[in-house]
Each structure stands twice: as structure tokens, then as C-alpha cells.
Amino acid sequence: MLPSNRKWFTEVCKEAGYAASWTIIDRLARVTSDYQTIEVFQTEHWGKLMVIDGFVMLTSRDNFLYHEMLSHPTLFSHPAPKRVLIIGGGDCGTLSEVLKHSEPVDVTQVEIDEEVTRLARQHFPELCERNDDPRARLLFDDGLAHIRQAAPESLDVIIVDSTDPIGPAEGLFGPQFVTDCYRALAPGGILVQQSESPLLHRHLIDGIRANMASAGFDDVQTLGFPQPCYPSGWWSATQGCKRSKLSAPGDERFKASGVETRYYNPGVHAGALAMILS
Amino acid sequence: MLPSNRKWFTEVCKEAGYAASWTIIDRLARVTSDYQTIEVFQTEHWGKLMVIDGFVMLTSRDNFLYHEMLSHPTLFSHPAPKRVLIIGGGDCGTLSEVLKHSEPVDVTQVEIDEEVTRLARQHFPELCERNDDPRARLLFDDGLAHIRQAAPESLDVIIVDSTDPIGPAEGLFGPQFVTDCYRALAPGGILVQQSESPLLHRHLIDGIRANMASAGFDDVQTLGFPQPCYPSGWWSATQGCKRSKLSAPGDERFKASGVETRYYNPGVHAGALAMILS
């Protein structure tokens, strides 16, 4: 039983018979867009909490883990990540981490729902501080169509920072999308997708890995990392590399980059790659 | 709100304004011992769940993470871990992992509450399969007194597999206990303690690290790892090494050991050590 002397927000993970709850002080926003219902809560201990269609997207307290691990392993695995595309990522946390790197010259974010970004600017301004970087371009459009129309070999890195594989993000977990990404990547290019929980969603990770292998990616790796606000607190990202191999950078490259992080470092990166899904 | 069409067990982590819940089919046991109240539930999706005084101890589904990470990093960091002491650990999961190694000749477990082990034998028999190993000695006694009376330099590894630092385990987080452990360890010996969540319990981790440094340990390291059934899903173990340095083993030692794991490997070990608490 949840103590009734507090207000709680609860996310139920039905397929795992599991739920996580946070004590909340107030609901700060509730917006129904063309795509989904977005809510923002003020919690007691986790800062602000954004929820889409009942599923936790992020909290102020722990989003650094997810955003760092969705961006830095991929950017540091590429020798020269100049052209970066983010699909989804409307809270701009991933964009902010990507823009810490000096190599990118064009960082395009294609989020389908402008309301997510509007609410992020208002309630998570710390994630949107780099939105005005001249290298950043924020589009509000369909990521599936965008990648279908992208010129072949025009991108170095594609980051899929999506919601769960139901609702608007469903197509981002299908084989056609991954094939389109492969085509749009230059040789040496890397696709990375958030790929849910290694404990609870192995079938989904296996599906993403199979899609990447079928699309032609030569090296496919799944990284594990903590993400407390998501079901099980253990999350993953799956990377595919086109005509090259994935590996963690040396300490020298990381230090020379000047990229400041709270969780990511080359040792953590190598450890995340060492996770064996058996 | 938790859906009322299911029965739920909920653990509330009050200091973090957070709760985790599991759907349960039935309560299989409820025993009040001299020390605490122990319950075992049959869950829908996580196998069996053991709870002590309302706090989750383990589930069938995810305990491999904690038990592997509390034992293998320490045993593989020691050149010859012959004499091993486990304090707490009544479910025998840590003992089982330790006994996968060939080096130990004496593995003593000192659990204060025999009821925990009795219920583990009944409901988690897979964790107790090695209890009859001739190298294993199960004592039901006070760990604090045991370590106080241990001969100086008589142990190579001490593993503190305790409940949270309230109730019977409180003394295991105090400086006197850590000093007693230091004295009982031979040069090169290693103490490892479960040290709660890197996200939620930093003050506690800092306290354990300070205790170890004050006691004289020359190398103190905190390892991070996923543990979904504990608050935040992100957990830690803190190691101190007496007159030596801690490091992950090479692949050769791991392979030659024949130790089979689901999560632990030398790469994961090095990655866990790379976590920087800033």
C-alpha cells in the first residue's frame, strides 16, 4: 500500500508486474497535444517529473544518466562525428550532451511533438541551455519521414531518443526505419537507439539487434546503464556501426575533448560494452 | 494509483519519496524471529520475493546481479582468497557465488538470524545448493562479536552482505566494526560491504568510505551495478584493500577459474570500478 498521507504519481509496468511511484507536491502542467498527453509534476525528492501518456520520461534528479549514455558512447566511438541527427529527444537533454562536443557542425533534432519541447523549455531549462547553439537545428516533424527523405550517406551519427515502442514511436522500432537509417549514414556512421530494460525487455533488445544486423550494420553492441526512473532502473542503448567497429575512446581523447560528465567516462563506456546478454 | 485488480507488495523508500511495487499471487510465509519479521511472497513476474521488516531483500529474477557483484570483484581482486568470511548473507546467494571459486579453503558465514536461512532453503533452494560444500561453515551468531573475536590477520576476504543500516545491521556500518575487520584481515586482504544506492544514499557511501580510510585501508573503491529490486535500481558495493591495490582481473584468470556468471565479467568489473562519485 502507498501511504495515503502523501500524493503519489505511479507508473505501472504491466508486462513486468511492477510499478514505481514518486511523492508529488503538485501537477504543474497537463497538455494534450495532437499526439499524446504530457504532464509535468513537482516531486518532493526528484525535482520535476515529465510523464507522457502515463509513462515517466525524465526527472531532474537522474536524467543525466540516460542523456549521457545515449550520446557520449556514440560520439566518442566515431572518429569525426560532424553531422548528427537526433530523432525524438524533445526534452533536449540529449541535444545538450551532443553539443558539448566540438566536432559536430550540424546537429538536427526531429521531434514530432512541439509541446514536449515547449514544456521542457519551461520546466527543464537546464536541458535547453544549448538550444541556441548555432550548430543546432530543432525541427518538429515526423522522424520516420525525415530519415526516409535524408540523402544517402549524409549523416555520421543518428540517435534515436524515443518513447516506448507503443504510440507515436512504434515505427522507430521497425526494420524499415533501421534500413533507412543505414542508407542515410556515411561509412563509419553509427546508429544508436534507446532499447529499454535488459532485465524486462530482452525480446525488444533482441529485435533491435536483429533489425540492425539485417539492415547491414557490421558491429552491433548493447550498452547497459542505470536509469532509476525507468522500469527496473536498468536501461540500455543499442548501437550499430556501418562498415567499422565500435569501441570506447582512450582517456586522452576524452580529456582532450573537454566534455564534462557526471557518469560517463571511457572506463564506464568500456564496462557498458562488456555487458553480455546471455 | 496502483490498479486494484491486482494484489501488490509495496516497499516505500521514505527518504527518497519513492516506492516500488510488485504484483503478488500469494504470501507464502510470514515469520517473526527474535530479530525481525521475514515474509516470502510469490510474485506474478519476479519469482519469489523475500521481505524483511517491509524492505525487499531479494527476488528470484534479479538476485544474480547483487550476489555476483558482491562476491566476484572481491575474490578476483585477491591473489589467493583462501579464508573468506561472509557476515549476514542469510539467503546464501553470496555464499553460493563464493563457492564457485576454487581458491577458498574455508568459507564461514555468520548470519544473526537462522530463520532467514531456513526460509531461503525452503523458497530459494537454487541459492542454497552449495551449502553442503565441505568448505562452507554456516554459523548463526552476531557478526559484530564474531569479527571482534577473530584472530588478527586470519582472513583474506570479508564480505558484508547486510540489510539496510537500521535494525540489526546498524553496527555493521559503524567505524568500530570496520576497524575490527581491518585487524582481522591479513596483508592484501579485502573488505567489501554492500553500500546502498549511488543516487539515493551518497551520504552513506561517503561514510563507509571514510570509515575504511580511517581504519587504515590503503585503497578504497566503490563499484556500481544494477539491482532492480532495490530502491532506484542502482546499487553499490564498497571495497577496501589492506596494504595493496584493487583492480579487475585479466580475462585469462577469469576464464581459467571456470566461474560461470550471468552479469559479472572482467570488463563489467573494470567498468564498475570506473564509476566516479562526484
Side-chain angles (χ1 to χ4, degrees):
Chain A
M1 288 269 289
L2 291 167
S4 58
N5 62 343
R6 286 280 180 284
K7 283 203 283 187
W8 295 88
F9 169 79
T10 294
E11 172 180 338
V12 176
C13 182
K14 211 174 158 183
E15 74 274 19
Y18 176 81
S21 306
W22 289 263
T23 54
I24 55 171
I25 295 168
D26 211 356
R27 183 163 68 192
L28 304 175
R30 184 176 192 279
V31 174
T32 297
S33 71
D34 292 346
Y35 304 98
Q36 51 208 356
T37 296
I38 312 153
E39 296 173 291
V40 179
F41 298 94
Q42 179 66 52
T43 71
E44 273 195 303
H45 293 279
W46 296 62
K48 291 183 182 177
L49 165 66
M50 184 186 278
V51 173
I52 293 183
D53 288 345
F55 295 103
V56 169
M57 290 296 113
L58 75 155
T59 81
S60 310
R61 187 169 183 176
D62 72 342
N63 77 78
F64 67 97
L65 293 157
Y66 174 89
H67 289 135
E68 289 184 10
M69 292 304 285
L70 204 61
S71 52
H72 302 310
T74 301
L75 267 79
F76 281 121
S77 293
H78 194 289
K82 290 186 185 304
R83 298 156 299 174
V84 179
L85 175 68
I86 299 166
I87 295 189
D91 57 48
C92 304
T94 297
L95 177 66
S96 176
E97 294 300 321
V98 168
L99 290 167
K100 287 181 180 175
H101 292 253
S102 59
E103 296 95 337
V105 293
D106 178 68
V107 185
T108 300
Q109 174 169 296
V110 184
E111 162 64 48
I112 202 164
D113 192 347
E114 190 160 5
E115 285 299 321
V116 175
T117 303
R118 193 182 63 75
L119 287 165
R121 281 189 197 268
Q122 191 177 348
H123 295 288
F124 298 87
E126 71 279 14
L127 303 182
C128 298
E129 278 172 1
R130 293 187 178 83
N131 285 10
D132 296 327
D133 187 306
R135 301 170 297 159
R137 197 157 54 111
L138 276 70
L139 305 179
F140 298 99
D141 211 342
D142 177 7
L144 290 171
H146 186 93
I147 201 74
R148 209 158 47 230
Q149 292 153 16
E153 307 197 351
S154 61
L155 294 165
D156 299 310
V157 167
I158 301 172
I159 300 176
V160 185
D161 179 3
S162 70
T163 52
D164 297 327
I166 48 170
E170 196 173 350
L172 300 176
F173 291 84
Q176 184 58 50
F177 170 72
V178 175
T179 299
D180 290 341
C181 287
Y182 186 85
R183 194 187 47 80
L185 285 169
I190 306 173
L191 167 66
V192 61
Q193 273 193 279
Q194 79 86 1
S195 51
E196 311 273 308
S197 166
L199 190 78
L200 305 180
H201 307 113
R202 269 299 300 281
H203 59 289
L204 189 131
I205 296 176
D206 291 344
I208 288 175
R209 294 171 63 92
N211 285 346
M212 288 189 185
S214 300
F217 285 99
D218 295 283
D219 194 7
V220 175
Q221 304 251 19
T222 299
L223 300 95
F225 54 89
Q227 185 51 42
C229 76
Y230 288 170
S232 85
W234 186 19
W235 217 245
S236 72
T238 298
Q239 300 179 310
C241 190
K242 182 172 179 174
R243 290 182 226 157
S244 189
K245 288 279 174 192
L246 290 160
S247 64
D251 280 329
E252 307 69 31
R253 179 170 172 190
F254 178 58
K255 277 185 192 147
S257 75
V259 170
E260 290 186 2
T261 56
R262 291 175 62 191
Y263 180 71
Y264 176 86
N265 64 49
V268 163
H269 182 168
L273 285 173
M275 180 179 74
I276 291 165
L277 293 169
S278 60
Chain B
M1 289 271 289
L2 292 167
S4 59
N5 62 343
R6 286 281 180 284
K7 282 203 282 185
W8 296 87
F9 169 79
T10 294
E11 171 180 338
V12 176
C13 182
K14 210 173 160 187
E15 73 275 18
Y18 175 81
S21 306
W22 289 262
T23 54
I24 55 171
I25 295 168
D26 213 354
R27 184 164 66 190
L28 304 175
R30 183 176 192 280
V31 174
T32 297
S33 71
D34 292 344
Y35 304 98
Q36 49 207 357
T37 296
I38 312 154
E39 297 172 290
V40 179
F41 297 93
Q42 180 65 54
T43 71
E44 273 195 304
H45 293 279
W46 295 62
K48 290 183 183 176
L49 166 66
M50 183 186 280
V51 173
I52 294 185
D53 289 344
F55 296 102
V56 169
M57 291 296 113
L58 74 155
T59 82
S60 309
R61 187 168 184 179
D62 72 342
N63 77 79
F64 66 98
L65 293 158
Y66 174 89
H67 289 136
E68 290 185 9
M69 292 304 284
L70 204 62
S71 52
H72 302 310
T74 300
L75 268 80
F76 280 122
S77 293
H78 195 288
K82 290 187 185 304
R83 300 156 296 174
V84 178
L85 174 67
I86 299 167
I87 295 190
D91 58 48
C92 303
T94 298
L95 177 67
S96 176
E97 295 299 321
V98 168
L99 291 166
K100 287 181 179 175
H101 292 253
S102 59
E103 295 96 335
V105 292
D106 177 68
V107 184
T108 300
Q109 174 168 296
V110 184
E111 163 64 50
I112 201 163
D113 192 346
E114 189 159 6
E115 285 300 319
V116 174
T117 303
R118 194 183 62 76
L119 287 165
R121 280 190 198 269
Q122 191 177 348
H123 296 289
F124 299 87
E126 71 279 15
L127 304 183
C128 299
E129 278 173 3
R130 293 187 178 84
N131 287 9
D132 297 328
D133 187 306
R135 302 172 296 161
R137 196 158 54 111
L138 276 71
L139 306 179
F140 299 99
D141 211 341
D142 178 6
L144 289 171
H146 186 92
I147 201 73
R148 209 159 46 227
Q149 292 152 16
E153 306 197 351
S154 62
L155 294 166
D156 299 310
V157 167
I158 301 172
I159 300 176
V160 185
D161 179 2
S162 70
T163 52
D164 297 328
I166 47 171
E170 195 173 350
L172 300 177
F173 290 84
Q176 185 57 51
F177 171 73
V178 176
T179 299
D180 290 341
C181 286
Y182 186 85
R183 194 186 48 81
L185 284 169
I190 305 173
L191 166 66
V192 62
Q193 270 193 279
Q194 79 86 2
S195 51
E196 312 271 307
S197 166
L199 191 76
L200 306 180
H201 308 113
R202 270 298 300 281
H203 58 288
L204 190 130
I205 296 175
D206 291 344
I208 289 174
R209 294 170 64 92
N211 285 345
M212 289 190 184
S214 300
F217 285 99
D218 296 284
D219 194 7
V220 175
Q221 305 251 18
T222 299
L223 300 93
F225 53 88
Q227 185 50 42
C229 75
Y230 288 170
S232 84
W234 186 19
W235 217 246
S236 71
T238 298
Q239 298 180 313
C241 190
K242 181 174 180 173
R243 291 182 226 159
S244 188
K245 288 279 175 193
L246 292 160
S247 63
D251 280 328
E252 308 67 34
R253 178 169 172 189
F254 178 58
K255 276 185 192 147
S257 75
V259 171
E260 290 186 4
T261 55
R262 290 174 63 190
Y263 179 71
Y264 176 88
N265 64 49
V268 163
H269 182 168
L273 284 174
M275 179 179 75
I276 293 167
L277 293 169
S278 61

